[in-house]
mmCIF file of all heavy atoms in Angstrom:
data_model
loop_
_atom_site.group_PDB
_atom_site.id
_atom_site.type_symbol
_atom_site.label_atom_id
_atom_site.label_comp_id
_atom_site.label_asym_id
_atom_site.label_seq_id
_atom_site.Cartn_x
_atom_site.Cartn_y
_atom_site.Cartn_z
ATOM 1 N N ARG K 178 85.370 -35.439 29.975
ATOM 2 C CA ARG K 178 83.922 -35.380 29.661
ATOM 3 C C ARG K 178 83.116 -36.545 30.202
ATOM 4 O O ARG K 178 81.972 -36.421 30.732
ATOM 5 C CB ARG K 178 83.738 -35.272 28.105
ATOM 6 C CG ARG K 178 84.121 -33.875 27.652
ATOM 7 C CD ARG K 178 84.408 -33.997 26.117
ATOM 8 N NE ARG K 178 85.650 -34.645 25.847
ATOM 9 C CZ ARG K 178 85.846 -35.428 24.695
ATOM 10 N NH1 ARG K 178 84.940 -35.511 23.814
ATOM 11 N NH2 ARG K 178 86.990 -36.057 24.532
ATOM 12 N N GLU K 179 83.618 -37.736 30.065
ATOM 13 C CA GLU K 179 82.959 -38.934 30.586
ATOM 14 C C GLU K 179 82.751 -38.977 32.012
ATOM 15 O O GLU K 179 81.569 -39.106 32.562
ATOM 16 C CB GLU K 179 83.601 -40.205 29.945
ATOM 17 C CG GLU K 179 82.871 -41.449 30.277
ATOM 18 C CD GLU K 179 83.673 -42.368 31.224
ATOM 19 O OE1 GLU K 179 84.453 -41.841 31.950
ATOM 20 O OE2 GLU K 179 83.518 -43.501 31.146
ATOM 21 N N ALA K 181 82.694 -36.369 33.901
ATOM 22 C CA ALA K 181 81.885 -35.252 34.278
ATOM 23 C C ALA K 181 80.447 -35.635 34.111
ATOM 24 O O ALA K 181 79.618 -35.336 34.911
ATOM 25 C CB ALA K 181 82.255 -34.062 33.355
ATOM 26 N N ALA K 182 80.176 -36.386 32.986
ATOM 27 C CA ALA K 182 78.756 -36.810 32.702
ATOM 28 C C ALA K 182 78.296 -37.769 33.854
ATOM 29 O O ALA K 182 77.192 -37.630 34.391
ATOM 30 C CB ALA K 182 78.700 -37.559 31.431
ATOM 31 N N PHE K 183 79.153 -38.729 34.251
ATOM 32 C CA PHE K 183 78.770 -39.687 35.304
ATOM 33 C C PHE K 183 78.587 -39.076 36.649
ATOM 34 O O PHE K 183 77.924 -39.617 37.453
ATOM 35 C CB PHE K 183 79.776 -40.837 35.343
ATOM 36 C CG PHE K 183 79.725 -41.772 34.123
ATOM 37 C CD1 PHE K 183 80.774 -42.660 33.968
ATOM 38 C CD2 PHE K 183 78.648 -41.827 33.297
ATOM 39 C CE1 PHE K 183 80.725 -43.530 32.909
ATOM 40 C CE2 PHE K 183 78.589 -42.745 32.290
ATOM 41 C CZ PHE K 183 79.672 -43.572 32.026
ATOM 42 N N GLY K 185 77.759 -35.711 37.160
ATOM 43 C CA GLY K 185 76.893 -34.564 37.091
ATOM 44 C C GLY K 185 77.513 -33.178 37.195
ATOM 45 O O GLY K 185 77.018 -32.278 37.830
ATOM 46 N N VAL K 186 78.687 -33.036 36.575
ATOM 47 C CA VAL K 186 79.336 -31.764 36.541
ATOM 48 C C VAL K 186 79.707 -31.395 35.101
ATOM 49 O O VAL K 186 79.451 -32.199 34.227
ATOM 50 C CB VAL K 186 80.623 -31.734 37.465
ATOM 51 C CG1 VAL K 186 80.292 -32.042 38.922
ATOM 52 C CG2 VAL K 186 81.672 -32.670 36.975
ATOM 53 N N VAL K 268 68.090 -42.230 28.663
ATOM 54 C CA VAL K 268 69.190 -41.245 28.377
ATOM 55 C C VAL K 268 68.782 -40.428 27.068
ATOM 56 O O VAL K 268 68.858 -39.237 27.057
ATOM 57 C CB VAL K 268 70.548 -41.962 28.168
ATOM 58 C CG1 VAL K 268 71.617 -41.008 27.718
ATOM 59 C CG2 VAL K 268 70.968 -42.626 29.453
ATOM 60 N N ARG K 271 66.267 -37.846 27.943
ATOM 61 C CA ARG K 271 66.851 -36.653 28.502
ATOM 62 C C ARG K 271 67.395 -35.793 27.431
ATOM 63 O O ARG K 271 67.383 -34.574 27.427
ATOM 64 C CB ARG K 271 67.998 -36.988 29.533
ATOM 65 C CG ARG K 271 67.596 -37.848 30.798
ATOM 66 C CD ARG K 271 66.409 -37.217 31.607
ATOM 67 N NE ARG K 271 66.468 -35.795 31.673
ATOM 68 C CZ ARG K 271 65.377 -35.078 31.656
ATOM 69 N NH1 ARG K 271 64.131 -35.629 31.743
ATOM 70 N NH2 ARG K 271 65.380 -33.793 31.715
ATOM 71 N N PHE K 272 68.065 -36.360 26.444
ATOM 72 C CA PHE K 272 68.720 -35.704 25.336
ATOM 73 C C PHE K 272 67.654 -34.948 24.486
ATOM 74 O O PHE K 272 67.791 -33.815 24.198
ATOM 75 C CB PHE K 272 69.500 -36.660 24.453
ATOM 76 C CG PHE K 272 70.152 -36.152 23.281
ATOM 77 C CD1 PHE K 272 71.200 -35.190 23.451
ATOM 78 C CD2 PHE K 272 69.743 -36.381 22.018
ATOM 79 C CE1 PHE K 272 71.806 -34.642 22.375
ATOM 80 C CE2 PHE K 272 70.376 -35.844 20.887
ATOM 81 C CZ PHE K 272 71.347 -34.902 21.058
ATOM 82 N N SER K 275 66.344 -31.906 26.315
ATOM 83 C CA SER K 275 67.326 -30.849 26.279
ATOM 84 C C SER K 275 67.290 -30.189 24.830
ATOM 85 O O SER K 275 67.327 -28.887 24.829
ATOM 86 C CB SER K 275 68.750 -31.352 26.468
ATOM 87 O OG SER K 275 68.813 -32.080 27.627
ATOM 88 N N MET K 392 75.299 -34.393 21.242
ATOM 89 C CA MET K 392 75.144 -35.868 21.402
ATOM 90 C C MET K 392 74.944 -36.109 22.904
ATOM 91 O O MET K 392 75.399 -35.339 23.691
ATOM 92 C CB MET K 392 76.432 -36.489 20.896
ATOM 93 C CG MET K 392 76.712 -36.536 19.494
ATOM 94 S SD MET K 392 75.811 -37.904 18.784
ATOM 95 C CE MET K 392 76.747 -39.279 19.368
ATOM 96 N N PRO K 393 74.436 -37.285 23.267
ATOM 97 C CA PRO K 393 74.720 -37.706 24.595
ATOM 98 C C PRO K 393 76.168 -37.963 24.831
ATOM 99 O O PRO K 393 76.811 -38.370 23.897
ATOM 100 C CB PRO K 393 73.909 -38.938 24.779
ATOM 101 C CG PRO K 393 72.915 -38.984 23.611
ATOM 102 C CD PRO K 393 73.657 -38.229 22.443
ATOM 103 N N THR K 394 76.684 -37.636 26.050
ATOM 104 C CA THR K 394 78.114 -37.937 26.249
ATOM 105 C C THR K 394 78.449 -39.348 26.364
ATOM 106 O O THR K 394 79.422 -39.854 25.838
ATOM 107 C CB THR K 394 78.566 -37.180 27.586
ATOM 108 O OG1 THR K 394 78.139 -35.768 27.566
ATOM 109 C CG2 THR K 394 80.054 -37.235 27.728
ATOM 110 N N THR K 395 77.485 -40.096 26.966
ATOM 111 C CA THR K 395 77.725 -41.591 27.061
ATOM 112 C C THR K 395 76.296 -42.220 26.692
ATOM 113 O O THR K 395 75.323 -41.564 26.708
ATOM 114 C CB THR K 395 78.041 -41.902 28.566
ATOM 115 O OG1 THR K 395 77.005 -41.474 29.453
ATOM 116 C CG2 THR K 395 79.362 -41.303 28.955
ATOM 117 N N SER K 397 74.922 -44.516 28.660
ATOM 118 C CA SER K 397 74.240 -44.952 29.841
ATOM 119 C C SER K 397 74.756 -44.091 30.982
ATOM 120 O O SER K 397 75.753 -43.348 30.832
ATOM 121 C CB SER K 397 74.533 -46.420 30.129
ATOM 122 O OG SER K 397 75.912 -46.588 30.475
ATOM 123 N N PRO K 398 74.082 -44.145 32.178
ATOM 124 C CA PRO K 398 74.709 -43.550 33.328
ATOM 125 C C PRO K 398 75.899 -44.352 33.821
ATOM 126 O O PRO K 398 76.175 -45.357 33.285
ATOM 127 C CB PRO K 398 73.519 -43.494 34.334
ATOM 128 C CG PRO K 398 72.715 -44.660 34.025
ATOM 129 C CD PRO K 398 72.804 -44.782 32.562
ATOM 130 N N LEU K 429 82.704 -30.519 25.106
ATOM 131 C CA LEU K 429 82.339 -30.260 26.592
ATOM 132 C C LEU K 429 81.155 -31.139 26.934
ATOM 133 O O LEU K 429 80.290 -31.366 26.060
ATOM 134 C CB LEU K 429 82.010 -28.773 26.712
ATOM 135 C CG LEU K 429 81.252 -28.166 27.783
ATOM 136 C CD1 LEU K 429 81.640 -26.669 27.772
ATOM 137 C CD2 LEU K 429 79.767 -28.221 27.503
ATOM 138 N N SER K 430 81.131 -31.615 28.166
ATOM 139 C CA SER K 430 79.897 -32.294 28.618
ATOM 140 C C SER K 430 79.243 -31.430 29.701
ATOM 141 O O SER K 430 79.909 -30.963 30.666
ATOM 142 C CB SER K 430 80.256 -33.681 29.265
ATOM 143 O OG SER K 430 79.101 -34.269 29.802
ATOM 144 N N VAL K 431 77.893 -31.306 29.572
ATOM 145 C CA VAL K 431 77.153 -30.455 30.580
ATOM 146 C C VAL K 431 76.063 -31.411 31.132
ATOM 147 O O VAL K 431 75.486 -32.203 30.338
ATOM 148 C CB VAL K 431 76.639 -29.179 29.907
ATOM 149 C CG1 VAL K 431 75.768 -29.470 28.715
ATOM 150 C CG2 VAL K 431 76.087 -28.196 30.859
ATOM 151 N N PRO K 432 75.638 -31.288 32.360
ATOM 152 C CA PRO K 432 74.578 -32.191 32.910
ATOM 153 C C PRO K 432 73.292 -31.967 32.151
ATOM 154 O O PRO K 432 72.848 -30.881 31.825
ATOM 155 C CB PRO K 432 74.487 -31.773 34.336
ATOM 156 C CG PRO K 432 75.816 -31.137 34.738
ATOM 157 C CD PRO K 432 76.280 -30.513 33.428
ATOM 158 N N MET K 433 72.565 -33.051 31.849
ATOM 159 C CA MET K 433 71.229 -32.926 31.250
ATOM 160 C C MET K 433 70.187 -33.688 32.036
ATOM 161 O O MET K 433 69.282 -34.314 31.519
ATOM 162 C CB MET K 433 71.212 -33.375 29.717
ATOM 163 C CG MET K 433 71.651 -34.887 29.573
ATOM 164 S SD MET K 433 71.353 -35.303 27.813
ATOM 165 C CE MET K 433 71.701 -37.051 27.872
ATOM 166 N N GLY K 434 70.354 -33.663 33.377
ATOM 167 C CA GLY K 434 69.387 -34.248 34.275
ATOM 168 C C GLY K 434 69.849 -35.699 34.735
ATOM 169 O O GLY K 434 70.992 -35.998 34.618
ATOM 170 N N LEU K 443 70.765 -40.928 38.869
ATOM 171 C CA LEU K 443 72.192 -40.837 38.401
ATOM 172 C C LEU K 443 72.253 -39.850 37.254
ATOM 173 O O LEU K 443 71.393 -39.890 36.317
ATOM 174 C CB LEU K 443 72.570 -42.216 37.803
ATOM 175 C CG LEU K 443 72.586 -43.384 38.912
ATOM 176 C CD1 LEU K 443 72.877 -44.684 38.149
ATOM 177 C CD2 LEU K 443 73.424 -43.088 40.019
ATOM 178 N N PRO K 444 73.223 -38.942 37.320
ATOM 179 C CA PRO K 444 73.360 -37.867 36.264
ATOM 180 C C PRO K 444 73.792 -38.457 34.910
ATOM 181 O O PRO K 444 74.475 -39.445 34.870
ATOM 182 C CB PRO K 444 74.486 -37.019 36.833
ATOM 183 C CG PRO K 444 75.011 -37.644 38.052
ATOM 184 C CD PRO K 444 74.284 -38.865 38.318
ATOM 185 N N VAL K 445 73.328 -37.796 33.910
ATOM 186 C CA VAL K 445 73.762 -38.095 32.493
ATOM 187 C C VAL K 445 74.196 -36.685 31.865
ATOM 188 O O VAL K 445 73.727 -35.668 32.289
ATOM 189 C CB VAL K 445 72.792 -38.881 31.687
ATOM 190 C CG1 VAL K 445 72.735 -40.289 32.071
ATOM 191 C CG2 VAL K 445 71.402 -38.193 31.797
ATOM 192 N N GLY K 446 75.082 -36.809 30.858
ATOM 193 C CA GLY K 446 75.582 -35.587 30.246
ATOM 194 C C GLY K 446 75.218 -35.425 28.805
ATOM 195 O O GLY K 446 75.034 -36.354 28.085
ATOM 196 N N LEU K 447 75.213 -34.191 28.379
ATOM 197 C CA LEU K 447 75.112 -33.788 26.943
ATOM 198 C C LEU K 447 76.413 -33.273 26.436
ATOM 199 O O LEU K 447 76.975 -32.403 27.111
ATOM 200 C CB LEU K 447 73.944 -32.806 26.819
ATOM 201 C CG LEU K 447 73.589 -32.486 25.288
ATOM 202 C CD1 LEU K 447 72.145 -32.064 25.329
ATOM 203 C CD2 LEU K 447 74.369 -31.348 24.762
ATOM 204 N N GLN K 448 76.938 -33.841 25.347
ATOM 205 C CA GLN K 448 78.186 -33.406 24.831
ATOM 206 C C GLN K 448 77.929 -32.410 23.616
ATOM 207 O O GLN K 448 77.295 -32.778 22.734
ATOM 208 C CB GLN K 448 78.972 -34.627 24.428
ATOM 209 C CG GLN K 448 80.300 -34.188 23.687
ATOM 210 C CD GLN K 448 81.133 -35.369 23.322
ATOM 211 O OE1 GLN K 448 82.255 -35.524 23.848
ATOM 212 N NE2 GLN K 448 80.701 -36.346 22.493
ATOM 213 N N PHE K 449 78.706 -31.304 23.728
ATOM 214 C CA PHE K 449 78.668 -30.424 22.543
ATOM 215 C C PHE K 449 80.198 -30.523 21.918
ATOM 216 O O PHE K 449 81.122 -30.550 22.700
ATOM 217 C CB PHE K 449 78.523 -28.956 22.952
ATOM 218 C CG PHE K 449 77.128 -28.698 23.418
ATOM 219 C CD1 PHE K 449 76.832 -28.273 24.621
ATOM 220 C CD2 PHE K 449 76.051 -28.749 22.520
ATOM 221 C CE1 PHE K 449 75.574 -27.939 25.161
ATOM 222 C CE2 PHE K 449 74.800 -28.469 22.923
ATOM 223 C CZ PHE K 449 74.526 -28.102 24.220
ATOM 224 N N LEU K 466 72.050 -24.002 28.063
ATOM 225 C CA LEU K 466 71.404 -25.177 28.647
ATOM 226 C C LEU K 466 71.333 -25.047 30.172
ATOM 227 O O LEU K 466 70.421 -25.550 30.784
ATOM 228 C CB LEU K 466 72.098 -26.419 28.193
ATOM 229 C CG LEU K 466 71.346 -27.754 28.435
ATOM 230 C CD1 LEU K 466 70.051 -27.870 27.705
ATOM 231 C CD2 LEU K 466 72.244 -28.980 28.157
#
Side-chain angles (χ1 to χ4, degrees):
R178 289 160 287 151
E179 184 245 26
F183 286 164
V186 300
V268 174
R271 300 307 322 147
F272 179 66
S275 304
M392 288 279 289
T394 310
T395 59
S397 68
L429 160 160
S430 177
V431 63
M433 61 169 186
L443 303 176
V445 283
L447 186 150
Q448 173 176 242
F449 292 115
L466 191 65

